[in-house]
Amino acid sequence: MLAEHEKLAREAAGRDEPYAEYLLRLTELEVAARTANAIAARIRAAGFPVIKEFDTFDFTAVPNVPKQKLLELTRRDWIDQHYNACLIGGSGTGKTHAATGIGLALCRLGLRVKFTTAANLVTELESAQQQHRLDRLLGALERFDLLIVDELGYLSFSRSGAELLFQVFADRYERASLLITSNLPFGEWGSIFQGERMTAALLDRLTHRCHIFEMNGESYRFRESMKSKDDKAAKTAKPKK
Ligand code: ADP
Ligand code: MG
């Protein structure tokens, strides 16, 4: 506000603006600056690996994904209703990109979002447990309106790691939202959590009130790299006579 104050004051004086209006404009500027700062702070706190938005998301690459339904996750209704969301699909199908787009949009709506990977979360939980500060970590996680757990399924966990992850998921059940991405269909989650009983109990809670998206299709990464190879080939190919 101070940075803009002088410019505004000159303008106001030049136009003979009433003092109250000038103050109002100054206050509006201050509020806008604070809102922008708060959003930037929430985005930093969320810990997104890269900043990816939906404006660069090509829905034609995933024709099976209902576009409007996925975009609805950028609104806060599902968070308010403590729904979960799962994005399931092979590598490179845009799960992390979409999860980040959703998280960013919700940060802008004033929600507290945390982005982590399953492997990182388990490591953090295990070290917190060893250092007798698990309760504190669980308490910190509870304060997020949305916990995004990316890449569930690439690594399997030890029994104790799986139990800790289960605890986080169970704690949020009907109280706060989770967004999970996984390369594994639900039927194969037993291999992550070791043991049918824990997997069944977890899936039961996770999917009870859940928006599920199957991001099938070929890998976008793969497709893009093939395209650029084709382009290069086309460029280096000798023109036909
Ligand atoms: P996943 O998490 O499913 O393995 P990513 O979201 O990391 O896949 O996507 C891999 C790369 O391809 C990223 O750079 C991402 O931005 C891009 N990408 C994937 N799907 C799309 C899409 N539908 N539109 C635009 N870019 C995409
Ligand atoms: Mg990913």
Side-chain angles (χ1 to χ4, degrees), residues 210-221:
C210 190
H211 299 293
I212 298 167
F213 294 87
E214 285 182 39
M215 317 273 288
N216 285 325
E218 62 180 328
S219 163
Y220 195 85
R221 270 191 287 253

Side-chain angles (χ1 to χ4, degrees), residues 116-142 147 149 157 160-169 171 193:
T116 182
T117 63
N120 268 339
L121 181 57
V122 167
T123 307
E124 260 188 74
L125 289 164
E126 281 176 331
S127 70
Q129 189 175 44
Q130 277 155 19
Q131 296 162 16
H132 309 289
R133 50 177 182 82
L134 182 60
D135 284 345
R136 219 186 316 154
L137 176 58
L138 292 175
L141 290 174
E142 265 183 40
L147 178 62
V149 181
F157 308 111
S160 67
E163 275 165 11
L164 286 166
L165 198 60
F166 179 87
Q167 192 179 342
V168 172
F169 287 13
D171 279 353
F193 286 99

Side-chain angles (χ1 to χ4, degrees), residues 11-181:
E11 275 176 27
R15 282 189 284 114
D16 241 352
E17 188 176 41
Y19 192 61
E21 262 170 47
Y22 160 69
L23 270 188
L24 177 66
R25 288 208 299 144
L26 208 54
T27 316
E28 278 168 356
L29 261 182
E30 173 71 7
V31 170
R34 284 196 189 183
T35 309
N37 288 344
I39 288 172
R42 273 193 298 274
I43 290 174
R44 269 197 308 277
F48 297 108
V50 280
I51 300 297
K52 296 247 170 170
E53 309 271 1
F54 271 114
D55 61 358
T56 56
F57 193 83
D58 175 8
F59 277 90
T60 64
V62 276
N64 297 331
V65 172
K67 179 177 174 179
Q68 287 316 319
K69 234 190 123 204
L70 187 61
L71 287 177
E72 265 174 39
L73 299 186
T74 62
R75 301 209 316 250
R76 61 176 294 154
D77 309 53
W78 67 290
I79 307 288
D80 293 335
Q81 294 159 7
H82 306 155
Y83 259 69
N84 297 322
C86 291
L87 310 179
I88 312 285
S91 175
T93 53
K95 302 182 298 296
T96 301
H97 189 144
T100 306
I102 291 164
L104 283 168
L106 295 172
C107 283
R108 293 197 183 99
L109 295 178
L111 296 173
R112 285 153 305 180
V113 175
K114 181 75 191 167
F115 186 109
T116 182
T117 63
N120 268 339
L121 181 57
V122 167
T123 307
E124 260 188 74
L125 289 164
E126 281 176 331
S127 70
Q129 189 175 44
Q130 277 155 19
Q131 296 162 16
H132 309 289
R133 50 177 182 82
L134 182 60
D135 284 345
R136 219 186 316 154
L137 176 58
L138 292 175
L141 290 174
E142 265 183 40
R143 283 192 287 277
F144 290 106
D145 301 300
L146 173 64
L147 178 62
I148 301 176
V149 181
D150 198 22
E151 297 188 351
L152 190 71
Y154 281 116
L155 296 171
S156 59
F157 308 111
S158 65
R159 178 91 203 173
S160 67
E163 275 165 11
L164 286 166
L165 198 60
F166 179 87
Q167 192 179 342
V168 172
F169 287 13
D171 279 353
R172 296 185 80 83
Y173 177 60
E174 293 198 320
R175 300 205 298 150
S177 296
L178 273 168
L179 194 170
I180 310 284
T181 84

